[in-house]
Structure formats: C-alpha cells, structure tokens
Amino acid sequence: MITVLRAGPLTTVQDLGRPGWAHLGVPRSGALDAPALRLANRFVGNPDDAAGLETTLLGCALRFTHPALVAVTGAVAHVEVNGRPAERPRGHQLFEVPAGGVVDVGPAVRGVRSYLAVAGGIDVEPVLGSRSTDTLSGLGPARLADGDVLPVGTRAGTPIVGEPARPGGELVLGLRLGPRDDWLDLTGLFGTPYTIGMLSNRIGTRLAGTALTRAKAGELPSEGVVLGAVQVPADGQPIVFLADHPTTGGYPVIGVVADVTPLAQARPGTTVRFRELD
C-alpha cells in the first residue's frame, strides 16, 4: 500500500485511458504524456498500460508500506527517498524504496507533469476498463488528497531501461484542417505565434495570440470532437482539446492536431506555432 503524505495541487491516477466510449459521452482521459507513462512502466517491469501517478508542477510525497521499485519520468524534478537524493542507475530516476520509505517528488524544474510508476502498478478499481481519473466527467478515482491510501499490484516483469525524453522549448504542432475551417478567416494562422494561457488544464490547452475572426455568421449545432481538436470560441482564441476533453462541442473546430503529447509538458507562456499537414 501507498499512503499519500502530500498530494500536490493535481495528482491523479492515470493509465492509457478509456477510448471507445465517446458515443456514450465518456472522454478517453488517460495520461497526458502517454510516452512518459509507458517509459516509467517499462523501467519497473510493468505492462505499458499499468496505472501510475501523474503529478502537476509541484509533485507529491508518498510512504510505501513494503519495498518497491519506483521510476519517475516526464517533467524533470528532484526526487528524494527518505530525505536523500534518489539513486539514479545509468542517469535514470529508477530506484528501490525500502519498507516504510518516503518518496518525495519535488517541483518540476522543466516541464509540467511527472509520472511515477511502481512495480505492480497502482491497483485501484477500474471503471469502464481504465483506472484513469477523469477530471471532466468524474469517472475513476478522485484526484489524490493527503491521507489517501492506494493499493499496489503484484510485482512482475523485467525492468527495461531506456532513455527518457526531455521537455523542450517552442512547440510546433502539425495541424490537419477541418471540418469547420471555412467558418473562420485563417489568414496568418500558420505564421502567427501563440502562447499557452494560464487556464490550461487536462481538458484543453488555451492559446493566446491573434484572434481568429468569423467568416460565417450563425451558430453550429453540437458536434462530436476528438483528442487534438482545435476549437475556436467567441473570443477567437484557439483551444486544443486534451485527454479529458468533452465529447461534443458547439464552437467551430478548424482542425485536429496530429500529436498533442508535447502540450503535456508545456508551461503557460510557452510559444506554440501550427504547421499545416496534408
């Protein structure tokens, strides 16, 4: 078992999500930086889809009742075990925790979200086939709070050590236009820098920059939206939908970002540019 000593501002249980339920109004959810979670799971010998913890900016602190093999990936953060820097074999944040040991994942010094995997996985009850916390619908376990206790599954599998990706600087996102790109004047969209706004979260990344103006009057009926959909509300500032996005929306969707993974580690103020894809 794991006892949560310091939950941090937004620490959640995440696996690779629950895709396939959008027709019932259920978002896919799951880790925003799925490659980082997969890597952490491989470090400790878990299947790629095992559940771990996703922290946001300020990390968390946990006490382990039994010895555990733990890995931390994603955002770069200082990690301590019982008050001492965690040993990092081959430069990776992969370490053994003794019974009763306390792991403290500190504030992110680069990136936004760190991923903590423990051998055996976080063994909370799955909902619709996933253990992920969905911050929009409320499905899955609640966001972590101080004093929570989390079960750990049986340790199995062989650790595979690889090279973690490091969060970068300016982002260039490939965008496929449609289905409602004709509803707005997109002149300059692909040459204009945007910045990530403070109100971004697991539902979507809000961008600030040159406002896109309407080319058509009127309103659309609600339509289905997908991961990476770029929706433009009345203020003309694009929103890129992330893992906990709603399954329908009434504002025009001008395109879909091919890979939203870089947005998982992008802080407010980060510059974003769009690149048109065929």
Side-chain angles (χ1 to χ4, degrees):
M1 306 293 284
I2 297 172
T3 300
V4 179
L5 303 180
R6 178 176 61 82
L10 179 59
T11 300
T12 57
V13 177
Q14 298 294 341
D15 53 23
L16 296 183
R18 48 180 68 85
W21 298 96
H23 63 295
L24 298 180
V26 177
R28 62 185 295 133
S29 194
L32 288 190
D33 189 343
L37 177 62
R38 288 191 185 98
L39 186 63
N41 276 322
R42 291 173 186 178
F43 278 0
V44 297
N46 289 341
D48 284 2
D49 60 353
L53 298 181
E54 178 185 276
T55 72
T56 306
L57 286 177
L58 299 183
C60 66
L62 313 167
R63 176 179 285 118
F64 290 74
T65 58
H66 291 76
L69 179 64
V70 175
V72 178
T73 61
V76 179
H78 179 68
V79 180
E80 294 183 346
V81 178
N82 290 335
R84 296 184 176 182
E87 294 183 9
R88 300 174 60 188
R90 303 182 191 177
H92 302 295
Q93 289 188 324
L94 169 67
F95 44 89
E96 295 279 357
V97 180
V102 173
V103 174
D104 193 314
V105 181
V109 297
R110 191 164 72 238
V112 177
R113 295 171 176 90
S114 296
Y115 291 85
L116 183 147
V118 55
I122 304 297
D123 197 23
V124 295
E125 190 70 22
V127 178
L128 295 179
S130 171
R131 294 179 168 86
S132 287
T133 300
D134 184 335
T135 62
L136 181 63
S137 72
L139 290 175
R143 58 193 290 179
L144 264 60
D146 295 356
D148 283 352
V149 176
L150 301 171
V152 176
T154 302
R155 181 171 172 173
T158 302
I160 301 173
V161 176
E163 184 61 35
R166 298 302 184 191
E170 178 177 296
L171 303 183
V172 179
L173 303 177
L175 178 70
R176 292 185 174 88
L177 292 177
R180 302 298 181 184
D181 51 303
D182 59 337
W183 274 64
L184 291 108
D185 181 357
L186 302 184
T187 303
L189 173 67
F190 295 105
T192 301
Y194 288 87
T195 57
I196 293 178
M198 292 294 296
L199 298 180
S200 301
N201 53 31
R202 283 185 50 86
I203 296 171
T205 296
R206 293 180 178 269
L207 301 179
T210 302
L212 302 177
T213 58
R214 281 290 188 98
K216 289 186 178 182
E219 299 298 332
L220 289 165
S222 290
E223 299 179 308
V225 294
V226 298
L227 180 69
V230 180
Q231 188 183 74
V232 183
D235 64 1
Q237 302 293 342
I239 299 172
V240 184
F241 280 136
L242 302 182
D244 288 354
H245 68 83
T247 54
T248 61
Y251 292 117
V253 171
I254 60 171
V256 178
V257 171
D259 181 11
V260 298
T261 301
L263 293 173
Q265 302 296 355
R267 296 191 175 201
T270 299
T271 298
V272 174
R273 297 178 186 272
F274 291 108
R275 175 175 59 88
E276 185 175 5
L277 301 176
D278 292 337

